Amino acid sequence: MRNSKVIKWALFLVVMAVLATGCANQKPNAGDPNAGERDTGAPHTGEPHTAGQPNPFEGGEQETAMLGSIGHGFTDPPLDENGEILPLQYNGGELTIDYAVRASGKAKNVGFLVFVDGIPQPYKFNSTEAPYEYMHIFDLTADNRDTPFTFVFTPVTGQKGEILHVTIASVYNPAFIPDMKETTSYGGYQTTLESGRPLVFNQDADPLDLSSIPQQEALSRVRLSTEPVTQDLLEKHSVMEQVDMETLDHKVYSDLYIDGAVRQDNVQVKKSGNLRVTYKLFGHPGMRYRSTFYLNHEALAGKDGASFETTLAKGDVAVIEADVELEKLKDFNTFYVVSVPLNADDFPDDVVVLMKTPSLLLYKELEQSGR
C-alpha cells in the first residue's frame, strides 16, 4: 500500500531555500522523482521579496539561504503486526482524520488540499460546525513543534467494499500573491508536499449536501485529447537533465499553456470573455491521473465535473483544454493545476507523486483593479 510504511510524519520533511540569482523564470522539473522530499531551492526556486527588501530575482551574488522546513502526517495511526500503517475506515457520516504539522522559519503559513481517489475533497477544519472548503489556510505559531488538527468530511466518492486512496498535500505559503508592484512572481512559494493513506469503505459514502460545498463553475468547452511527443518538446524539458523517450518511460512532465503559449509568473487578462487554458501531461506509460484546475485554491468545475482523468501512453501527450470565464475572476488570482496519480501501486519500482504546476498570477488591468 502506498505510503503504508511511513510512521507519523517523520519522512515528510522538505527544506525551503532561496537562490539569490535571476532564476524566477526557471520552471521546476515536474517529473523529478524526489519532488516533495528534498531541498527545493537549487537551482530553480526563490522567495518573492517583500516591500523594503531586495528582490532576489534581480541578480546579485549567488547565495543560498534556508527559509525553513515543513513536515506533516497522520497522528498515532494504528499499525499491523509488521509495523505498517493500517488503512482508514469509513463507516458512514463524516470521516475524521487526526493529523499534525510541524514547521520552522518562514514555512509556517500553510494550507492543505485533500483528494479521495484523485477527486478534490472539500473538508471542514477541526469541527463539524466549520464550513466546507477546498483549502484551509493557517499560520503556525510554534516553531518546529507539532500542531495537531483534524480533517472532517463526507467522502465525495466511494462504495461499500472499495479501497480508495486519500491524498493530502500541503501548499507552502498559499496566502502569498504577487501585487505587480513589489512582486511579480511566486518564486519558490506554493510548492507541495504529499502524504496519503488507503480508505476502506465499509458502506457507501453518504450523499453530500451540495449547498454546503464551495462551487466555482467557471469552466466551459472542456476537451480531452492526445497529441504526439515531439523532439521540440523533449528539448524544451532538457534543462536540468537530458530528456528523451527512454526518460519518459519512468518520469512524468507537464506544461500549462495560456491562450496557446506557456506562461510563467503572471498573465494580464481581460475583464470579461473567456481565457483558453491548456494543460499537457506526458511520460510514464500506463500511469493514470486525475487533474483539477484551481483558482484561488478552490477547484474549478464545469458541466463535466471538477476533475479529469487521463491515461498516459508511450509517445503521446495527454491534453486537457478548457475555457475559464473571466467574469468569475477577481482582480488578482492564483491559478494552477494539480494531478493526482491513481495507480501508483501498479509501478512499485518507480516514485510516482502528486504534481502541481507552478502557481500563475492572472490579473486584470492594473488601472481597473485599484491596487
Side-chain angles (χ1 to χ4, degrees):
M1 293 181 182
R2 185 153 52 108
N3 291 331
S4 62
K5 294 183 179 181
V6 178
I7 305 301
K8 292 189 178 180
W9 48 266
L11 296 185
F12 297 118
L13 181 65
V14 64
V15 178
M16 310 295 176
V18 55
L19 188 67
T21 61
C23 295
N25 291 327
Q26 294 187 24
K27 178 182 177 182
N29 180 353
D32 192 327
N34 296 315
E37 297 184 17
R38 60 175 173 83
D39 181 350
T40 62
H44 56 258
T45 65
E47 181 191 11
H49 75 290
T50 57
Q53 297 178 334
N55 188 341
F57 303 139
E58 293 179 352
E61 296 182 0
Q62 180 171 317
E63 180 180 350
T64 301
M66 294 301 169
L67 296 179
S69 65
I70 183 171
H72 55 86
F74 301 92
T75 302
D76 295 325
L79 308 177
D80 64 14
E81 61 274 12
N82 297 317
E84 295 188 347
I85 297 176
L86 292 171
L88 297 162
Q89 302 285 327
Y90 179 73
N91 297 303
E94 289 186 318
L95 178 70
T96 60
I97 299 177
D98 293 326
Y99 213 72
V101 59
R102 170 183 291 194
S104 64
K106 295 183 179 181
K108 288 185 288 188
N109 179 257
V110 63
F112 285 92
L113 298 172
V114 179
F115 303 86
V116 175
D117 198 32
I119 300 173
Q121 173 68 64
Y123 62 91
K124 300 175 181 180
F125 184 71
N126 276 341
S127 169
T128 58
E129 303 303 318
Y132 268 111
E133 300 285 352
Y134 282 106
M135 177 187 282
H136 288 263
I137 300 173
F138 54 98
D139 290 297
L140 302 173
T141 56
D143 195 80
N144 203 31
R145 291 175 57 188
D146 288 358
T147 298
F149 63 96
T150 303
F151 296 105
V152 181
F153 60 84
T154 299
V156 290
T157 187
Q159 295 183 331
K160 183 177 181 179
E162 285 188 318
I163 302 177
L164 302 180
H165 198 79
V166 173
T167 301
I168 299 172
S170 63
V171 177
Y172 161 57
N173 201 7
F176 176 79
I177 187 167
D179 59 9
M180 293 307 295
K181 295 178 182 178
E182 297 293 337
T183 56
T184 61
S185 168
Y186 290 87
Y189 288 164
Q190 304 198 0
T191 54
T192 58
L193 185 65
E194 171 194 358
S195 69
R197 194 168 161 191
L199 172 60
V200 176
F201 284 82
N202 298 315
Q203 70 171 64
D204 293 352
D206 288 345
L208 270 173
D209 179 8
L210 295 180
S211 65
S212 67
I213 300 175
Q215 299 288 324
Q216 282 203 99
E217 295 184 0
L219 294 182
S220 60
R221 293 179 58 214
V222 178
R223 178 175 178 264
L224 276 61
S225 62
T226 60
E227 62 185 36
V229 173
T230 64
Q231 185 60 35
D232 286 345
L233 186 62
L234 295 176
E235 291 176 358
K236 183 171 76 72
H237 283 271
S238 297
V239 178
M240 303 300 297
E241 63 177 346
Q242 183 66 34
V243 178
D244 53 24
M245 295 302 293
E246 184 176 349
T247 309
L248 299 188
D249 286 340
H250 302 283
K251 294 186 178 182
V252 180
Y253 299 85
S254 67
D255 284 315
L256 178 60
Y257 296 76
I258 304 296
D259 284 339
V262 174
R263 303 296 297 269
Q264 299 183 35
D265 300 333
N266 59 77
V267 177
Q268 189 176 49
V269 299
K270 299 177 180 179
K271 289 190 65 177
S272 61
N274 291 319
L275 185 72
R276 192 65 175 173
V277 297
T278 304
Y279 178 61
K280 297 184 179 182
L281 193 67
F282 61 99
H284 202 310
M287 276 302 309
R288 294 189 298 116
Y289 285 87
R290 280 204 177 98
S291 299
T292 302
F293 295 90
Y294 280 85
L295 184 68
N296 300 321
H297 308 299
E298 290 189 5
L300 288 180
K303 66 178 182 179
D304 298 315
S307 60
F308 308 97
E309 184 173 339
T310 54
T311 301
L312 303 187
K314 190 174 182 65
D316 284 345
V317 179
V319 182
I320 306 173
E321 300 174 86
D323 281 350
V324 176
E325 299 176 24
L326 293 173
E327 291 89 345
K328 303 291 180 68
L329 269 63
K330 301 176 182 178
D331 288 337
F332 285 72
N333 307 268
T334 298
F335 183 72
Y336 54 85
V337 184
V338 175
S339 295
V340 181
L342 302 181
N343 60 336
D345 290 343
D346 294 344
F347 305 96
D349 295 331
D350 297 318
V351 179
V352 181
V353 296
L354 171 146
M355 299 174 61
K356 173 188 171 294
T357 63
S359 292
L360 181 68
L361 175 70
L362 302 180
Y363 71 98
K364 297 184 178 180
E365 292 84 348
L366 292 178
E367 64 272 14
Q368 295 173 340
S369 69
R371 293 183 61 171

